[in-house]
């Protein structure tokens, strides 16, 4: 499970957007579809984006829509496509995306918003290539031997999503912010792998490194057999410590962002890190249920940062304008 599914999601799989003959195919409509996808399937992340200035939100929604749509091509348990058909669908989506960047007509309900965001911020196309490459890996790779091997996958599936977001969030030190954003992407994804280990196993994948399973005497089959054994609990505790190291490496980057972006990222940081707290609170019994940060805590954390977000956004609008030649 990848970064596109960072937040608790509904049980319903994503379906193609139902575009009737009267439904608008404008750029604004594409952004609205991305926003609705985000609101429906990425509730915690969506909550955090509400703290951003309005003009930034739609670009974050667009990138979420891109990653969510791609993720569902390879990850929808309800899909009737076989591996070959999934690979073909992923290639077709990739071709539409890059053709659109070259100016080709884009008859797609979501991609126009993504293409507009890429152009608006001159986002690194290499990040998108690496992301799509990692999605393709999920069609033929069911596990990773070492953590270094897993990092190679996560560089494309998670780290690049952090670096895609960095220009939208703005920073006085873009190179520094980019590395911290990369670390935050890795932290979020490893949190996913810990929380969703049983669900990923049902998809035929074990993202936790095989070397770690061997170290703690865990077999792949043990990850699908609730309750978690003491050995599985020890394995998950080890991975929680590893994830927290990524959070620690990412945290200094929050202060490098524009003040109006910090509350959003701080809320996401606290809530996704809070998933690890819930894993521990559950005694690492995550094989039979999906732990989540309680709704009241999500709202409390967001509320704590709401005033700072509004103050920063207002401060950015207090500007002076002079005309050429004015004294």
């Amino acid at each position: 499970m990848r970064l596109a599914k960072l937040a608790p999601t509904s049980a319903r799989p994503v379906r193609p957007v139902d575009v009737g003959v009267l439904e608008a195919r404008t750029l604004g409509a594409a952004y609205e579809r991305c926003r609705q996808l985000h609101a429906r399937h990425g509730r915690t992340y969506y909550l955090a984006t509400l703290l951003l200035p309005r003009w930034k939100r739609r670009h974050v929604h667009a990138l979420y829509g891109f990653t969510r749509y791609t993720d569902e091509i390879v990850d929808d348990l309800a899909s009737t496509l076989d591996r070959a058909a999934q690979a073909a669908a992923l290639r077709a989506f990739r071709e539409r995306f890059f053709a659109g960047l070259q100016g080709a007509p884009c008859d797609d309900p979501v991609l126009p918003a993504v293409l507009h965001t890429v152009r608006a911020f001159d986002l690194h196309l290499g990040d998108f290539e690496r992301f799509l490459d990692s999605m393709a890996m999920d069609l033929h790779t069911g596990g990773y031997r070492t953590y270094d091997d897993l990092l190679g996958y996560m560089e494309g599936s998670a780290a690049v999503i952090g670096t895609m977001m960095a220009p939208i969030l703005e920073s006085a030190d873009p190179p520094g912010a980019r590395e911290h954003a990369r670390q935050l992407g890795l932290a979020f994804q490893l949190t996913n792998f810990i929380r969703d280990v049983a669900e990923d196993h049902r998809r035929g994948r074990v993202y936790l490194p095989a070397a770690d399973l061997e170290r703690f005497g865990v077999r792949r089959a043990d990850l699908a057999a609730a309750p978690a054994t003491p050995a599985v609990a020890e394995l998950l505790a080890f991975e929680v410590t590893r994830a927290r190291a990524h959070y620690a490496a990412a945290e200094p980057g929050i202060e490098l962002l524009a003040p109006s972006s910090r509350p959003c990222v701080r809320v996401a940081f606290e809530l996704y890190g809070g998933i690890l707290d819930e894993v521990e609170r559950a005694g690492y019994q995550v094989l039979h249920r999906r732990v989540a940060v309680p709704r009241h805590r999500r709202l409390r954390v967001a509320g704590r940062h709401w005033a700072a977000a509004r103050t920063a956004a207002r401060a950015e609008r207090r500007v002076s304008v002079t005309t050429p030649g004015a004294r």
Side-chain angles (χ1 to χ4, degrees):
M1 185 169 291
R2 285 155 298 286
L3 195 61
K5 294 183 180 176
L6 274 173
T9 60
S10 66
R12 295 172 296 175
V14 173
R15 299 301 181 196
V17 181
D18 183 15
V19 183
V21 294
L22 298 180
E23 186 170 298
R25 284 294 190 106
T26 63
L27 179 61
Y31 273 113
E32 175 60 15
R33 293 184 189 98
C34 290
R35 187 197 68 78
Q36 291 186 21
L37 276 173
H38 199 172
R40 181 184 302 175
H41 299 286
R43 289 172 293 177
T44 296
Y45 191 20
Y46 183 81
L47 175 63
T49 64
L50 294 179
L51 276 67
L52 287 172
R54 188 180 300 274
W55 73 266
K56 292 183 182 181
R57 291 180 212 163
R58 69 173 188 166
H59 299 296
V60 175
H61 299 328
L63 293 183
Y64 181 94
F66 175 83
T67 57
R68 178 76 195 197
Y69 184 90
T70 311
D71 191 74
E72 287 301 315
I73 293 174
V74 301
D75 240 15
D76 185 0
L77 287 174
S79 175
T80 59
L81 301 179
D82 59 21
R83 282 287 185 255
Q86 287 176 311
L90 186 61
R91 284 195 302 272
F93 181 75
R94 182 178 191 138
E95 290 168 2
R96 291 198 304 275
F97 172 67
F98 284 106
L101 288 174
Q102 295 299 317
C106 184
D107 185 21
D108 184 279
V110 169
L111 273 182
V114 183
L115 298 172
H116 185 260
T117 290
V118 172
R119 295 189 185 103
F121 293 91
D122 193 24
L123 299 183
H124 291 270
L125 296 188
D127 286 347
F128 290 86
E129 291 173 343
R130 284 189 289 274
F131 175 77
L132 291 166
D133 288 344
S134 285
M135 296 303 96
M137 288 175 65
D138 274 335
L139 294 176
H140 57 73
T141 302
Y144 298 87
R145 177 65 196 163
T146 67
Y147 193 60
D148 283 343
D149 295 334
L150 180 62
L151 279 173
Y153 167 79
M154 291 200 297
E155 283 293 333
S157 63
V160 299
I161 298 179
T163 57
M164 288 175 194
M165 295 288 182
I168 299 169
L169 300 176
E170 301 182 286
S171 172
D173 179 14
R178 184 175 173 87
E179 174 55 24
H180 292 299
R182 171 182 168 274
Q183 288 292 333
L184 193 57
L186 297 174
F188 286 173
Q189 176 137 83
L190 188 53
T191 299
N192 265 0
F193 292 159
I194 294 166
R195 180 193 60 189
D196 299 330
V197 62
E199 182 179 340
D200 288 331
H201 186 277
R202 291 197 295 274
R203 290 186 168 90
R205 306 188 198 117
V206 173
Y207 290 109
L208 304 185
D212 294 351
L213 270 66
E214 293 170 6
R215 174 180 176 180
F216 291 96
V218 174
R219 301 168 302 166
R220 284 177 67 112
D222 295 336
L223 300 177
T229 65
V232 170
E234 289 180 10
L235 166 67
L236 294 177
F238 174 78
E239 304 298 354
V240 165
T241 299
R242 175 177 271 160
R244 286 195 168 127
H246 287 297
Y247 281 102
E251 187 169 17
I254 298 176
E255 292 304 310
L256 298 179
L257 298 175
S260 64
S261 295
R262 293 173 198 164
C264 165
V265 179
R266 178 63 67 181
V267 168
F269 183 95
E270 292 185 25
L271 293 183
Y272 292 131
I275 293 172
L276 300 180
D277 297 335
E278 296 300 323
V279 169
E280 291 177 325
R281 189 171 291 114
Y284 304 99
Q285 295 298 327
V286 298
L287 303 185
H288 66 294
R289 67 186 181 94
R290 197 173 199 259
V291 300
V293 176
R295 183 174 182 271
H296 67 84
R297 182 181 173 191
R298 297 201 303 270
L299 294 176
R300 185 172 67 248
V301 169
R304 192 168 67 244
H305 293 279
W306 187 265
R310 297 304 95 196
T311 298
R314 285 195 298 269
E316 288 183 355
R317 294 195 296 271
R318 289 197 294 269
V319 298
S320 60
V321 180
T322 59
T323 58
R327 296 183 183 276

